[in-house]
Amino acid sequence: LHTIGRGSLVKCLQKVDTFLHRNIGTNVVAVQEEKNGFKSLNAVQAERQEQAERSVLISCRSRTNEKKFLKYIANYGDIQKYFFYESYGMYAVVEFANKESVASLFEGTAIPSISHESLVPFKSRLLSMRNLDSVDLPNQPSGKKRQAQTSIPINELIQRLSKEESIDQQITSLTEAYQLTEENCRLRFLVCSLLKDIAAGFFPECTIKPFGSSVNGFGKLGCDLDMFLDLDGISGKKATMPKSGLFLEYQMKRANLERIVTQNILSVIGECVDQFGPGCMGVQKILNARCPLVRFAHQPSGFQCDLTANNRVAMKSTELLYLYGELDPRVRHLVFTVRCWARAHGITSSTAGAWISNFSLTVMVLFFLQRRSPPIIPTLDHLRDLAGPEDKSMIEDNDCTFVSDFSKIQLESNTETLEQLLCEFFEFYASFSFRTLSINIRKGKEQNKPEVAPLHIQNPFETTLNVSKNVNASQLDRFVAVCQESSWLIQQNNTAPSRDGTKGKANITPWGVSTLLLPSQVAGIKSRKRRIFESSSDRIKSLLESLKNTNNQQNQS
Ligand code: CTP
Ligand code: MG
């Protein structure tokens, strides 16, 4: 290790990380479309959707006897995979080897009768198991199989990171703690598939696909589930019109605008979700938004869901983010760290408002990585130039074409470490000329702002739109102020404190990335002009001191 040097070691570790990410982190079942070791998002979606179709979600008692449960379910078919989790109660996801097993399971189920209440007899793949023997601890679902589907609290994360030995390790550890697990990913596809069963009453050939952070590689446990009702695959939709013959009249109920059709479809499906969707609570139809949607909470999974239709551009931006995340492992690591940092400082929020969204923040990280020398990721224009005829995609006059074959993309050999990149990220945006310039990942270069808005990030596909139109000046000021503070802070705390040598005693003094997640001293800042370094540094130092003291006291007691 001493002889190969830090740069080569980091490169080597990154290669191992890429290998693990591609070969173990992602799925191990049949690969439909794999080029150069990468799987396209479409291939991942198709594979996961097929798994979800063979799966059921079962509500069960918390002390369910795992062996008896499996023995009972196995009466209906071979089980390919299963896991238990806790949300509002205990649930099991069971994936059968064959889809037919779901049908035979339905044959063996009864619709419950409840006195004084009438039920909609809608057969959903959300079932509940009753009166199977519960008991003895050894047979209860094991801890690993009953994973919670939420991320660890920030304080726990700070402690975990403080135990790492380098900033690079802290960043990878943060990604591991926050990224979606295999189980959570399966659950997301299953919820889409359950929703599809409702929409299929009207559109039997439809699919419901997740998009956004559930599948773009940047999703954190607990993130919302963005869903897209896809009616494009319905046979005949894309066929050329014959001069004579039969036409499907029922599909031709016209409206003068596509937007109105989308609103009508979502209104009806939203009503069905509200009336028939088991576990779907608080259904809201938000049909006048720029992108009409139906929002609801899916209680059995704990997911906040946004169902949209005719939202193909968002699907394309999801595909693009996924591709960037797969190109170099540093992309995902940096996005996770910056997202987490932004959330800890209230730069982003779980509700919509005048603050920066996770999507905007991700585009800002991508832009920063394009601006490195040499660049870590290519520009979108370059990806478009590499596209083949099969990649051509025009959506409502927007050119959404970019290469899907990863093997055509040649990366430059940038060897910067995660630590360097994180420090540089803060410096880059601490001094970025937001007043005059726009962030543009299509060109990979800042452009003059085309309109007055505090923060201008060009939408990669709908290029006349600003992704961060909602952000007001004071939110941008806070972002800049926290970047300045964090840039200083990481340089002051970039080495792990020496350990006390006592075996088994973890050193939990916050350092490195952990210090970046502690409450900011500049959160209330009103103006970017106010320089805060000197005054805040004393307060941060005293905060770190007090944490060290608490830690020492804990170690002594
Ligand atoms: N999107 C977009 N343009 C926007 C906002 C969103 O194209 N102005 C697309 C992006 O593909 C984004 C997806 O819609 O990933 C979902 O949006 P959102 O839920 O806001 O962002 P996520 O990336 O899913 O992040 P989060 O984890 O905060 O949900
Ligand atoms: Mg989302």
Side-chain angles (χ1 to χ4, degrees):
L1 292 182
H2 286 295
T3 51
I4 65 171
R6 189 178 156 87
S8 320
L9 177 61
V10 169
K11 228 174 155 183
C12 174
L13 287 173
Q14 280 163 356
K15 281 195 173 143
V16 171
D17 186 34
T18 314
F19 174 84
L20 291 175
H21 177 64
R22 287 181 206 155
N23 295 285
I24 298 168
T26 47
N27 212 344
V28 280
V29 201
V31 176
Q32 295 191 347
E33 191 186 303
E34 204 170 320
K35 285 174 183 154
N36 204 20
F38 289 101
K39 216 189 282 182
S40 76
L41 182 58
N42 283 338
V44 173
Q45 293 253 20
E47 191 179 294
R48 297 254 182 215
Q49 270 168 356
E50 193 274 328
Q51 285 170 350
E53 292 280 294
R54 291 185 270 116
S55 305
V56 292
L57 183 54
I58 304 177
S59 158
C60 36
R61 294 197 175 162
S62 60
R63 283 169 54 79
T64 293
N65 183 311
E66 184 175 344
K67 270 193 184 155
K68 284 191 178 159
F69 175 86
L70 292 175
K71 198 170 164 219
Y72 183 84
I73 301 291
N75 287 326
Y76 300 101
D78 292 341
I79 296 170
Q80 177 110 348
K81 188 174 165 85
Y82 72 93
F83 59 90
F84 291 87
Y85 72 90
E86 275 173 5
S87 175
Y88 298 92
M90 170 102 131
Y91 290 87
V93 171
V94 177
E95 180 191 313
F96 287 105
N98 301 300
K99 205 178 161 188
E100 295 70 49
S101 307
V102 176
S104 78
L105 189 78
F106 274 147
E107 279 167 26
T109 54
I111 294 177
S113 57
I114 302 175
S115 52
H116 315 302
E117 272 189 73
S118 299
L119 297 169
V120 178
F122 173 68
K123 278 200 170 183
S124 130
R125 280 180 286 142
L126 171 60
L127 306 143
S128 62
M129 176 69 89
R130 290 192 186 166
N131 299 336
L132 197 72
D133 286 353
S134 50
V135 280
D136 48 333
L137 286 169
N139 279 332
Q140 262 191 278
S142 59
K144 196 167 173 288
K145 287 193 182 125
R146 331 171 32 148
Q147 282 177 355
Q149 302 297 316
T150 50
S151 57
I152 61 168
I154 190 88
N155 288 343
E156 224 174 279
L157 180 73
I158 290 174
Q159 296 213 352
R160 187 185 291 191
L161 300 190
S162 302
K163 292 176 195 161
E164 298 292 351
E165 285 175 358
S166 71
I167 291 185
D168 280 41
Q169 280 173 8
Q170 289 187 322
I171 294 174
T172 39
S173 171
L174 183 148
T175 310
E176 276 157 23
Y178 269 16
Q179 70 191 352
L180 301 183
T181 58
E182 166 69 22
E183 285 75 17
N184 195 269
C185 190
R186 280 172 187 263
L187 190 55
R188 283 169 190 269
F189 275 87
L190 177 52
V191 172
C192 288
S193 178
L194 297 179
L195 256 286
K196 188 224 60 176
D197 288 351
I198 297 175
F202 295 93
F203 306 105
E205 294 165 85
C206 76
T207 53
I208 292 190
K209 293 174 178 162
F211 72 98
S213 60
S214 295
V215 282
N216 66 15
F218 304 118
K220 170 181 172 251
L221 277 171
C223 69
D224 70 354
L225 173 55
D226 303 297
M227 293 185 270
F228 166 62
L229 169 66
D230 190 355
L231 304 175
D232 281 356
I234 293 181
S235 56
K237 194 154 188 233
K238 285 182 179 156
T240 42
M241 204 78 129
K243 287 210 175 80
S244 58
L246 289 170
F247 297 90
L248 292 160
E249 190 63 35
Y250 77 97
Q251 282 196 348
M252 292 184 62
K253 182 148 186 179
R254 292 183 182 110
N256 54 357
L257 273 180
E258 202 164 358
R259 178 178 165 83
I260 296 179
V261 176
T262 304
Q263 287 171 328
N264 292 345
I265 291 172
L266 282 176
S267 175
V268 172
I269 303 293
E271 201 55 41
C272 291
V273 172
D274 199 12
Q275 302 292 333
F276 309 149
C280 300
M281 317 291 277
V283 179
Q284 282 173 275
K285 295 188 207 170
I286 308 170
L287 302 178
N288 287 325
R290 190 180 77 78
C291 178
L293 66 120
V294 175
R295 177 167 288 169
F296 58 94
H298 186 257
Q299 213 177 37
S301 61
F303 296 144
Q304 181 67 36
C305 302
D306 279 351
L307 176 66
T308 60
N310 196 19
N311 192 12
R312 281 168 292 154
V313 180
M315 203 68 222
K316 272 286 164 188
S317 59
T318 301
E319 219 178 301
L320 179 70
L321 261 51
Y322 171 85
L323 182 143
Y324 277 131
E326 289 288 293
L327 285 182
D328 187 302
R330 288 173 292 181
V331 179
R332 288 183 73 243
H333 290 315
L334 206 61
V335 170
F336 269 100
T337 308
V338 171
R339 278 189 172 205
C340 177
W341 160 85
R343 188 74 185 86
H345 294 292
I347 291 168
T348 53
S349 163
S350 56
T351 54
W355 30 85
I356 300 176
S357 69
N358 273 328
F359 180 60
S360 296
L361 202 59
T362 306
V363 177
M364 288 171 93
V365 176
L366 296 178
F367 181 72
F368 161 74
L369 294 172
Q370 289 175 334
R371 300 299 288 138
R372 302 310 299 154
S373 183
I376 292 181
I377 50 171
T379 66
L380 177 53
D381 271 349
H382 182 67
L383 295 177
R384 182 206 51 211
D385 295 343
L386 294 175
E390 69 286 1
D391 299 322
K392 186 121 193 80
S393 168
M394 286 297 289
I395 303 173
E396 292 155 15
D397 296 333
N398 298 305
D399 187 3
C400 300
T401 307
F402 62 92
V403 66
S404 60
D405 181 353
F406 292 70
S407 67
K408 288 189 190 163
I409 306 168
Q410 291 290 320
L411 296 177
E412 309 220 28
S413 60
N414 176 309
T415 54
E416 284 173 290
T417 64
L418 291 168
E419 176 179 347
Q420 284 167 330
L421 290 172
L422 187 63
C423 296
E424 296 284 338
F425 172 87
F426 294 131
E427 279 190 20
F428 183 83
Y429 283 114
S431 57
F432 189 85
S433 181
F434 287 106
R435 208 170 49 78
T436 53
L437 300 178
S438 161
I439 290 165
N440 186 316
I441 59 164
R442 183 163 275 284
K443 303 258 170 276
K445 215 163 179 288
E446 39 285 88
Q447 307 287 304
N448 287 331
K449 257 191 199 179
E451 61 188 50
V452 192
L455 175 60
H456 194 279
I457 304 173
Q458 191 198 51
N459 187 311
F461 297 118
E462 295 170 290
T463 53
T464 56
L465 300 181
N466 174 12
V467 166
S468 53
K469 197 174 158 213
N470 60 313
V471 177
N472 66 21
S474 67
Q475 290 300 324
L476 178 64
D477 287 348
R478 287 189 62 246
F479 170 76
V480 174
V482 186
C483 277
Q484 290 171 343
E485 183 191 62
S486 298
S487 163
W488 176 86
L489 207 51
I490 192 96
Q491 286 170 43
Q492 303 303 306
N493 296 285
N494 60 359
T495 39
S498 56
R499 308 209 171 206
D500 60 8
T502 321
K503 230 181 164 185
K505 236 183 211 177
N507 185 340
I508 53 161
T509 308
W511 75 279
V513 177
S514 305
T515 55
L516 299 180
L517 306 179
L518 295 170
S520 165
Q521 301 301 305
V522 294
I525 197 155
K526 286 279 180 300
S527 164
R528 185 179 332 166
K529 290 178 196 122
R530 268 172 63 185
R531 303 290 294 179
I532 37 73
F533 289 151
E534 290 80 7
S535 58
S536 72
S537 64
D538 291 339
R539 275 174 294 178
I540 292 162
K541 267 183 215 149
S542 64
L543 184 65
L544 287 171
E545 276 312 313
S546 70
L547 276 158
K548 278 177 200 166
N549 291 341
T550 322
N551 185 30
N552 287 344
Q553 281 164 11
Q554 277 174 357
N555 283 348
Q556 281 159 13
S557 62

